[in-house]
Every structure is written in C-alpha cells, then in structure tokens.
Amino acid sequence: MTAANVYQQRPTTGAKAESSLHHADLASLVGKGRKNAGVIVREKKLLGHLTIRGDGHDAAFAAGVHKALGIELPSALTVIVKGETSLQWMGPDEYLLIVPTGEEFAAEKKLREALGDLHIQIVNVSGGQQILELSGPNVRQVLMKSTSYDVHPNSFPVGKAVGTVFAKSQLVIRHTAEDTWELLIRRSFSDYWWLWLQDAAAEYGLSVQA
C-alpha cells in the first residue's frame, strides 16, 4: 500500500450536506409535473466520486481494480454499472469510480491496498461534480436538442459514455439503460443545466423523481 495520506473527507460531525441544486428544491417538485411525462429527471446527489489514475494496459493494475471493486476495467468510451456503483473510462490512464453516499473512503482504502506499490493516483472529487439521471421515452429527443454528438442507438448504445459539448458548456453523457441516461455535471454549472433541461423538455413534459 502507498504511503499517501488517506483520510475520511466526508464530514462526520453532523454537518448538513447540500447538493449543488439544493436551492432548486427538487423534492418539492416531485409529483407536480405532467402525468405520463416524456422526461423524468432524478438528482443522484452526494454520491462518492473518485478519480483513479493508472496504466490501463498493466495487468497488475487491472487485476487490483477488479480485486478491490469486483468490476473489470472498462474499455474506451464505456461505463460499467454494478448496482449503485459504476466505473467509467475517462482517458487512456484515467477512470471515474462512483459509489453510494459515504462509501468513497472505504473504496479508496480497498483500492490502495489492492494496488500496492503500483504507480497510481486516487483523488476524491465528490464535492466537484454530481449526476442528473434522465429517463423516459423522450430523453433522446432532448439530448438531440442539447448536443451535437450523435445519440442514435447505433452510435450511442447502452454502456457508452462520452465527454461532449452540451448546450453551451461541457459534461459527460452516460447511457446506462435503454431509456435511461446520466449527465455527469460540474457543480458550478448545475443550475445552468437544470434551467436548460426545463426548457428543452417542456414540449414533452418534465417530471421530477425523488
């Protein structure tokens, strides 16, 4: 195991944690949208996000990640989802691990133990980004309005994940199920994307899910 200073970064003193869309009070909008809405949005807030850097071509690195997480390293432009945990390819030597709330510290310790003295980097980026989940029959139409990336099923199948321009900024789009997509967004832009989605989905009906 490396000599890195690993410690619990999530407050355990009773401090109140708030998502980047706390001010939008999405909880108060649950059940108030159009019935049979074409787009359903769910804020997957306060999850654990860890950036992992390492040589994806190194069998020892791949084996260590699998030992710690029970997930194989994803290939280029893909994301592997296992329950509430996911591992995404971000670049030739970079991966993003997302785990349930509060599990990031334990996940980091498992990774460092399994990867031993390999040349790696693990950084907790939970506070800088979050996920908006979009589901429903008209999500692809909203994406077509919002990005120039081809989201046709032949080009963007389930399991694919790409960083791209969305509206007038950048984010990562993840296709996690047939009619379910995720937007991996930066905290500082969350309000902008929430306002954009309300406008882009208006013609199909937008519903908020808890």
Side-chain angles (χ1 to χ4, degrees):
M1 185 171 177
T2 66
N5 184 13
V6 182
Y7 59 94
Q8 172 64 271
Q9 297 184 50
R10 187 179 292 271
T12 56
T13 58
K16 184 178 180 181
E18 295 181 347
S19 79
S20 55
L21 283 174
H22 172 76
H23 67 285
D25 193 15
L26 298 189
S28 69
L29 301 178
V30 174
K32 295 184 179 180
R34 184 192 304 178
K35 291 184 178 179
N36 301 317
V39 180
I40 300 169
V41 61
R42 181 166 72 100
E43 183 187 18
K44 300 179 74 171
K45 59 185 179 181
L46 304 178
L47 300 179
H49 295 233
L50 296 171
T51 294
I52 306 169
R53 302 295 295 266
D55 184 358
H57 298 292
D58 183 355
F61 175 71
V65 170
H66 182 264
K67 178 181 178 181
L69 306 176
I71 301 176
E72 300 287 348
L73 279 183
S75 56
L77 301 179
T78 65
V79 57
I80 297 175
V81 180
K82 183 179 179 182
E84 296 184 50
T85 298
S86 66
L87 185 63
Q88 179 186 338
W89 182 94
M90 301 293 286
D93 66 348
E94 181 178 354
Y95 302 85
L96 176 66
L97 172 66
I98 298 181
V99 297
T101 304
E103 294 186 13
E104 60 273 21
F105 182 43
E108 180 176 355
K109 289 195 294 184
K110 286 181 180 179
L111 281 165
R112 291 189 180 279
E113 181 178 353
L115 295 171
D117 295 324
L118 294 178
H119 184 62
I120 62 163
Q121 181 186 64
I122 302 173
V123 179
N124 187 331
V125 295
S126 305
Q129 57 191 34
Q130 72 173 66
I131 287 178
L132 290 179
E133 179 189 86
L134 304 178
S135 59
N138 296 114
V139 173
R140 196 164 68 86
Q141 283 77 9
V142 170
L143 295 176
M144 289 168 63
K145 287 184 177 185
S146 307
T147 180
S148 58
Y149 199 93
D150 186 0
V151 294
H152 188 278
N154 291 340
S155 176
F156 210 134
V158 173
K160 188 170 184 177
V162 299
T164 184
V165 173
F166 190 96
K168 294 184 178 180
S169 190
Q170 292 181 316
L171 48 61
V172 173
I173 303 176
R174 299 152 44 112
H175 194 182
T176 55
E178 191 60 36
D179 286 328
T180 304
W181 305 69
E182 291 180 346
L183 305 181
L184 177 65
I185 63 178
R186 293 195 299 276
R187 183 181 182 92
S188 56
F189 279 82
S190 357
D191 187 58
Y192 169 71
W193 282 314
W194 166 234
L195 294 173
W196 177 277
L197 286 172
Q198 290 179 76
D199 184 67
E203 66 177 294
Y204 309 110
L206 179 66
S207 176
V208 177
Q209 185 181 73

